[in-house]
Amino acid sequence: MSKKNIFMVVAVLVVSAGLFSWWNTSQDSPGASGGSFDREILYWVAPMDPNYRRDEPGKSPMGMDLVPVYADDVDSQAGVVKIDPTVVSTLGVRTELAARSSLPRQIDTVGYVSYDEDTVQHVHTRVEGWIEVLAKKATGDRVQKGELLFELYSPNLVNAQEEYLAALRSGNAALLRASRGRLQALGFSDRQIARLERDRQAERRVPVYAEMDGVIAHLGVREGIFVTPMVEVMSVARLDSVWVVAEVLERQATWVSPGQEAFVKLEYLPGTELEGVVDYIYPELDSVTRTLKVRLRFENPDENLRPNMFATVTINGRNTGDIVHVPRQAIIRGAGSNRVVVDLGEGRFESRPVLVGVESGDRVAIRRGLQEGERIVTSAQFLIDSESNVASALERMNSRDAK
């Protein structure tokens, strides 16, 4: 072959190689036909804050133009995984849109029924003596107004009665007034004084009667015991009105105030919900449980509510302002941060850190990291989050190896 022919063959090969290289480059170049114009735009973000997302072009809070995020870019981001739709269906993945509205600061807690302390009568004697007859012998016994509670023997009471009888016989008005006043100071009623004037005989054992209807809430004595004015013989309480004392967590202490609506449920009354209001908030927290006691008052004419019954209590506090919120089960709680799994569409999922706020019922407010309308995973999110963490770790390892 002549040199001229050899030169022509080499020239053809060089030109062919150049055209082949140019063709491949043009196909892979973003500027080629069918390149950037066909890339799928998922959303638009602020250049300085990737968490600020919008569905269309616009301006960021800092006045900068939003930049597009493409599907093929998202696939390569850390924390994003792509799962086959068949696998997604098999896992039972459920999603829900992040909503924006006000949330009630709802407090779900527990409590117990107690006596209405405004109706409790504490029974003490005003002199020293011995309880010789105890008519009510057990806590819980019912009493009626005017019914005998116990009989007390006291030398001081016997002497006071004798002095009054002597004043009656003397006819001295001043002495009579003084003797009568002493009997009243020692606890004698007008009815007992009238009996003494009629019978003209001192009682050795002075009876003490109930001043209201109720039940024995506390019994501190037995027959024959010696008592002083410092000893609480018994206490009588009514049941037609009761308290429900609820315990509120310290972090929720500012959510509750008197007059707020509250609902109470008891296992004793299945299917029944009692509606009331917050009656009083105690001034200090319990030093052991670190909870704030809140009192609700309920009328109890049928006596269905009994002291020490366990109750579940819901208190509706003041509402928040408009805020993004998601179901409670969507939150993946960690030691250092909380996360949600965001459904980006077409089988792509992103594990994203979020800052949570108020927890109200089954909803949790999101203060940062999520926008209204984004679709978050509410079921099987732990499996997807684990896969995302593994993918991120592998990407970091590959990056180190490449260096």
Side-chain angles (χ1 to χ4, degrees):
M1 181 180 296
S2 65
K3 291 183 178 180
K4 182 177 180 180
N5 292 335
I6 295 174
F7 178 78
M8 292 180 62
V9 170
V10 170
V12 170
L13 291 175
V14 170
V15 172
S16 300
L19 290 173
F20 181 79
S21 175
W22 174 83
W23 172 259
N24 287 339
T25 302
S26 66
Q27 291 300 311
D28 295 336
S29 173
S33 176
S36 61
F37 295 102
D38 292 337
R39 297 173 70 193
E40 179 186 359
I41 298 177
L42 295 181
Y43 48 83
W44 300 73
V45 300
M48 304 299 292
D49 183 9
N51 289 325
Y52 184 83
R53 306 186 179 194
R54 291 295 182 266
D55 294 331
E56 56 187 17
K59 297 287 186 179
S60 72
M62 300 178 64
M64 304 174 68
D65 290 333
L66 300 182
V67 296
V69 175
Y70 297 98
D72 51 357
D73 291 337
V74 169
D75 291 340
S76 63
Q77 289 181 0
V80 176
V81 295
K82 189 167 186 178
I83 303 176
D84 187 88
T86 303
V87 177
V88 171
S89 177
T90 303
L91 292 176
V93 174
R94 293 196 298 271
T95 61
E96 184 174 324
L97 294 178
R100 176 181 287 275
S101 64
S102 63
L103 283 179
R105 289 186 171 93
Q106 182 175 306
I107 302 172
D108 295 313
T109 183
V110 296
Y112 57 90
V113 180
S114 70
Y115 291 109
D116 184 343
E117 294 180 9
D118 292 341
T119 69
V120 176
Q121 175 199 3
H122 298 278
V123 181
H124 292 255
T125 64
R126 298 187 181 183
V127 294
E128 296 179 347
W130 288 262
I131 295 180
E132 295 193 345
V133 175
L134 187 62
K136 299 299 178 182
K137 301 182 183 297
T139 300
D141 286 351
R142 291 187 175 273
V143 299
Q144 294 182 347
K145 183 177 182 179
E147 187 177 0
L148 177 67
L149 296 177
F150 59 89
E151 292 182 0
L152 176 70
Y153 166 68
S154 171
N156 291 335
L157 289 179
V158 175
N159 292 338
Q161 292 177 82
E162 294 293 353
E163 289 177 4
Y164 186 70
L165 292 176
L168 285 174
R169 288 192 294 267
S170 69
N172 186 322
L175 182 59
L176 186 62
R177 286 195 301 272
S179 299
R180 184 183 181 91
R182 184 185 179 198
L183 284 175
Q184 291 174 331
L186 293 176
F188 267 70
S189 65
D190 292 339
R191 186 180 66 175
Q192 289 174 305
I193 294 175
R195 185 213 60 79
L196 185 60
E197 292 174 349
R198 183 182 70 249
D199 296 345
R200 299 298 176 104
Q201 183 176 358
E203 289 183 311
R204 181 179 178 278
R205 295 187 308 204
V206 177
V208 177
Y209 301 97
E211 296 183 2
M212 67 178 189
D213 296 341
V215 297
I216 304 298
H218 170 72
L219 183 63
V221 300
R222 287 293 180 263
E223 281 188 356
I225 196 171
F226 177 78
V227 296
T228 67
M230 296 179 61
V231 175
E232 183 184 49
V233 178
M234 63 181 66
S235 59
V236 180
R238 299 176 62 174
L239 285 176
D240 56 352
S241 175
V242 295
W243 290 348
V244 173
V245 180
E247 298 187 353
V248 175
L249 297 177
E250 183 176 358
R251 62 183 174 83
Q252 298 174 323
T254 58
W255 297 6
V256 62
S257 59
Q260 289 177 336
E261 190 178 44
F263 301 92
V264 173
K265 294 180 180 179
L266 301 99
E267 292 184 0
Y268 171 68
L269 299 170
T272 301
E273 185 175 68
L274 305 177
E275 183 176 352
V277 296
V278 175
D279 180 61
Y280 180 74
I281 301 172
Y282 288 77
E284 63 181 18
L285 272 68
D286 187 285
S287 59
V288 178
T289 62
R290 308 302 305 167
T291 55
L292 180 69
K293 293 186 181 296
V294 175
R295 189 177 75 203
L296 317 173
R297 187 193 301 270
F298 290 92
E299 297 301 320
N300 189 34
D302 299 328
E303 299 186 1
N304 289 327
L305 304 181
R306 301 173 184 271
N308 297 320
M309 278 185 170
F310 181 81
T312 56
V313 181
T314 300
I315 302 173
N316 290 332
R318 296 182 298 274
N319 288 356
T320 66
D322 279 354
I323 193 168
V324 176
H325 53 88
V326 299
R328 183 189 296 269
Q329 66 267 24
I331 305 296
I332 301 173
R333 301 184 186 273
S337 64
N338 300 310
R339 303 184 302 280
V340 296
V341 175
V342 182
D343 183 357
L344 302 177
E346 298 184 358
R348 295 184 301 272
F349 298 91
E350 177 188 3
S351 180
R352 187 186 303 170
V354 293
L355 179 63
V356 302
V358 173
E359 298 186 17
S360 176
D362 62 346
R363 307 292 294 185
V364 177
I366 304 298
R367 298 176 58 186
R368 187 172 64 244
L370 197 64
Q371 299 292 329
E372 175 188 1
E374 288 192 280
R375 185 169 294 278
I376 48 95
V377 179
T378 60
S379 176
Q381 68 270 31
F382 292 96
L383 297 175
I384 300 174
D385 180 66
S386 299
E387 180 71 18
S388 172
N389 291 335
V390 171
S392 298
L394 290 175
E395 275 193 23
R396 289 193 294 270
M397 292 174 63
N398 292 333
S399 298
R400 284 199 300 268
D401 292 342
K403 295 178 182 179

Short mmCIF file of all heavy atoms in Angstrom, two decimals, residues 34-57:
data_model
loop_
_atom_site.label_atom_id
_atom_site.label_comp_id
_atom_site.label_asym_id
_atom_site.label_seq_id
_atom_site.Cartn_x
_atom_site.Cartn_y
_atom_site.Cartn_z
N GLY A 34 -33.22 17.31 25.00
CA GLY A 34 -33.84 16.27 25.82
C GLY A 34 -33.15 16.11 27.15
O GLY A 34 -33.43 15.15 27.85
N GLY A 35 -32.20 17.03 27.54
CA GLY A 35 -31.47 16.91 28.81
C GLY A 35 -32.18 17.62 29.92
O GLY A 35 -33.10 17.11 30.51
N SER A 36 -31.76 18.87 30.21
CA SER A 36 -32.28 19.58 31.37
C SER A 36 -33.75 19.86 31.25
O SER A 36 -34.44 19.98 32.25
CB SER A 36 -31.49 20.90 31.57
OG SER A 36 -31.66 21.73 30.42
N PHE A 37 -34.23 19.97 29.99
CA PHE A 37 -35.65 20.28 29.85
C PHE A 37 -36.52 19.10 30.21
O PHE A 37 -37.69 19.25 30.51
CB PHE A 37 -35.94 20.74 28.41
CG PHE A 37 -35.25 22.03 28.08
CD1 PHE A 37 -34.10 22.03 27.32
CD2 PHE A 37 -35.74 23.23 28.55
CE1 PHE A 37 -33.46 23.21 27.02
CE2 PHE A 37 -35.11 24.42 28.25
CZ PHE A 37 -33.95 24.41 27.48
N ASP A 38 -35.96 17.86 30.17
CA ASP A 38 -36.76 16.68 30.51
C ASP A 38 -36.54 16.22 31.94
O ASP A 38 -37.19 15.29 32.39
CB ASP A 38 -36.41 15.53 29.55
CG ASP A 38 -36.87 15.81 28.13
OD1 ASP A 38 -37.79 16.65 27.98
OD2 ASP A 38 -36.30 15.21 27.21
N ARG A 39 -35.62 16.83 32.68
CA ARG A 39 -35.38 16.43 34.06
C ARG A 39 -36.57 16.82 34.93
O ARG A 39 -37.09 17.93 34.82
CB ARG A 39 -34.10 17.07 34.60
CG ARG A 39 -32.84 16.65 33.86
CD ARG A 39 -31.64 17.43 34.33
NE ARG A 39 -31.26 17.06 35.68
CZ ARG A 39 -30.41 17.77 36.43
NH1 ARG A 39 -29.89 18.88 35.92
NH2 ARG A 39 -30.10 17.37 37.64
N GLU A 40 -36.98 15.92 35.81
CA GLU A 40 -38.16 16.15 36.65
C GLU A 40 -37.81 17.03 37.85
O GLU A 40 -36.89 16.74 38.61
CB GLU A 40 -38.71 14.81 37.15
CG GLU A 40 -39.95 14.97 38.04
CD GLU A 40 -40.40 13.66 38.65
OE1 GLU A 40 -39.75 12.63 38.35
OE2 GLU A 40 -41.37 13.68 39.42
N ILE A 41 -38.53 18.13 38.00
CA ILE A 41 -38.34 19.03 39.14
C ILE A 41 -39.32 18.61 40.24
O ILE A 41 -40.53 18.58 40.04
CB ILE A 41 -38.59 20.50 38.75
CG1 ILE A 41 -37.58 20.94 37.69
CG2 ILE A 41 -38.51 21.40 39.97
CD1 ILE A 41 -37.79 22.36 37.19
N LEU A 42 -38.76 18.27 41.40
CA LEU A 42 -39.61 17.83 42.52
C LEU A 42 -40.16 19.02 43.30
O LEU A 42 -41.35 19.07 43.63
CB LEU A 42 -38.81 16.92 43.46
CG LEU A 42 -38.35 15.59 42.88
CD1 LEU A 42 -37.59 14.80 43.92
CD2 LEU A 42 -39.55 14.78 42.38
N TYR A 43 -39.30 19.99 43.60
CA TYR A 43 -39.74 21.15 44.37
C TYR A 43 -38.66 22.22 44.25
O TYR A 43 -37.61 22.00 43.64
CB TYR A 43 -40.01 20.80 45.84
CG TYR A 43 -38.91 20.00 46.50
CD1 TYR A 43 -37.77 20.60 47.02
CD2 TYR A 43 -39.03 18.61 46.61
CE1 TYR A 43 -36.77 19.87 47.61
CE2 TYR A 43 -38.02 17.86 47.21
CZ TYR A 43 -36.89 18.50 47.71
OH TYR A 43 -35.90 17.76 48.29
N TRP A 44 -38.93 23.38 44.84
CA TRP A 44 -38.01 24.52 44.79
C TRP A 44 -37.62 24.86 46.23
O TRP A 44 -38.46 24.85 47.12
CB TRP A 44 -38.68 25.71 44.12
CG TRP A 44 -39.12 25.44 42.70
CD1 TRP A 44 -40.17 24.68 42.31
CD2 TRP A 44 -38.50 25.91 41.52
NE1 TRP A 44 -40.28 24.63 40.95
CE2 TRP A 44 -39.25 25.39 40.42
CE3 TRP A 44 -37.41 26.72 41.24
CZ2 TRP A 44 -38.92 25.66 39.10
CZ3 TRP A 44 -37.08 26.99 39.93
CH2 TRP A 44 -37.83 26.46 38.88
N VAL A 45 -36.35 25.19 46.43
CA VAL A 45 -35.85 25.47 47.78
C VAL A 45 -35.12 26.80 47.79
O VAL A 45 -34.69 27.31 46.76
CB VAL A 45 -34.90 24.36 48.29
CG1 VAL A 45 -35.61 23.02 48.35
CG2 VAL A 45 -33.65 24.26 47.42
N ALA A 46 -35.00 27.35 49.01
CA ALA A 46 -34.21 28.58 49.19
C ALA A 46 -32.73 28.24 49.15
O ALA A 46 -32.31 27.24 49.71
CB ALA A 46 -34.58 29.24 50.50
N PRO A 47 -31.91 29.05 48.47
CA PRO A 47 -30.48 28.74 48.39
C PRO A 47 -29.79 28.65 49.75
O PRO A 47 -28.87 27.86 49.93
CB PRO A 47 -29.92 29.91 47.55
CG PRO A 47 -31.10 30.45 46.81
CD PRO A 47 -32.28 30.25 47.72
N MET A 48 -30.26 29.46 50.72
CA MET A 48 -29.61 29.49 52.03
C MET A 48 -30.31 28.63 53.07
O MET A 48 -29.83 28.50 54.19
CB MET A 48 -29.56 30.95 52.53
CG MET A 48 -28.88 31.91 51.58
SD MET A 48 -27.15 31.46 51.28
CE MET A 48 -26.46 31.78 52.89
N ASP A 49 -31.46 28.07 52.73
CA ASP A 49 -32.21 27.25 53.70
C ASP A 49 -32.93 26.14 52.95
O ASP A 49 -34.06 26.31 52.47
CB ASP A 49 -33.23 28.12 54.46
CG ASP A 49 -33.99 27.33 55.51
OD1 ASP A 49 -33.60 26.16 55.77
OD2 ASP A 49 -34.95 27.87 56.10
N PRO A 50 -32.34 24.94 52.87
CA PRO A 50 -32.96 23.82 52.12
C PRO A 50 -34.29 23.38 52.71
O PRO A 50 -35.07 22.71 52.03
CB PRO A 50 -31.91 22.70 52.24
CG PRO A 50 -30.62 23.39 52.55
CD PRO A 50 -31.00 24.59 53.36
N ASN A 51 -34.58 23.74 53.98
CA ASN A 51 -35.84 23.34 54.58
C ASN A 51 -37.01 24.22 54.13
O ASN A 51 -38.16 23.88 54.37
CB ASN A 51 -35.74 23.39 56.10
CG ASN A 51 -34.87 22.28 56.66
OD1 ASN A 51 -34.85 21.18 56.12
ND2 ASN A 51 -34.12 22.57 57.71
N TYR A 52 -36.70 25.35 53.47
CA TYR A 52 -37.75 26.22 52.94
C TYR A 52 -38.10 25.72 51.55
O TYR A 52 -37.34 25.92 50.60
CB TYR A 52 -37.29 27.67 52.91
CG TYR A 52 -38.35 28.64 52.46
CD1 TYR A 52 -39.29 29.14 53.34
CD2 TYR A 52 -38.44 29.05 51.12
CE1 TYR A 52 -40.28 30.02 52.93
CE2 TYR A 52 -39.41 29.93 50.70
CZ TYR A 52 -40.34 30.40 51.61
OH TYR A 52 -41.32 31.27 51.21
N ARG A 53 -39.25 25.05 51.39
CA ARG A 53 -39.62 24.40 50.14
C ARG A 53 -40.93 24.93 49.60
O ARG A 53 -41.83 25.25 50.37
CB ARG A 53 -39.72 22.88 50.32
CG ARG A 53 -38.46 22.26 50.91
CD ARG A 53 -38.53 20.76 50.96
NE ARG A 53 -37.32 20.17 51.50
CZ ARG A 53 -37.00 18.90 51.41
NH1 ARG A 53 -37.81 18.06 50.79
NH2 ARG A 53 -35.88 18.44 51.95
N ARG A 54 -41.04 25.01 48.30
CA ARG A 54 -42.27 25.43 47.63
C ARG A 54 -42.47 24.56 46.39
O ARG A 54 -41.53 23.97 45.86
CB ARG A 54 -42.21 26.91 47.26
CG ARG A 54 -42.25 27.85 48.44
CD ARG A 54 -43.59 27.74 49.17
NE ARG A 54 -43.68 28.66 50.29
CZ ARG A 54 -43.39 28.34 51.53
NH1 ARG A 54 -42.94 27.11 51.79
NH2 ARG A 54 -43.53 29.20 52.51
N ASP A 55 -43.72 24.52 45.94
CA ASP A 55 -44.05 23.70 44.77
C ASP A 55 -43.84 24.44 43.46
O ASP A 55 -44.05 23.86 42.38
CB ASP A 55 -45.51 23.24 44.86
CG ASP A 55 -45.72 22.28 46.03
OD1 ASP A 55 -44.76 21.58 46.39
OD2 ASP A 55 -46.85 22.24 46.57
N GLU A 56 -43.49 25.72 43.52
CA GLU A 56 -43.32 26.50 42.29
C GLU A 56 -42.25 27.56 42.52
O GLU A 56 -41.87 27.84 43.66
CB GLU A 56 -44.65 27.16 41.90
CG GLU A 56 -45.24 28.03 43.00
CD GLU A 56 -46.62 28.54 42.67
OE1 GLU A 56 -47.25 27.99 41.75
OE2 GLU A 56 -47.05 29.51 43.33
N PRO A 57 -41.72 28.15 41.42
CA PRO A 57 -40.67 29.17 41.59
C PRO A 57 -41.18 30.35 42.40
O PRO A 57 -42.39 30.61 42.50
CB PRO A 57 -40.33 29.56 40.15
CG PRO A 57 -40.84 28.44 39.30
CD PRO A 57 -42.02 27.87 40.01
#
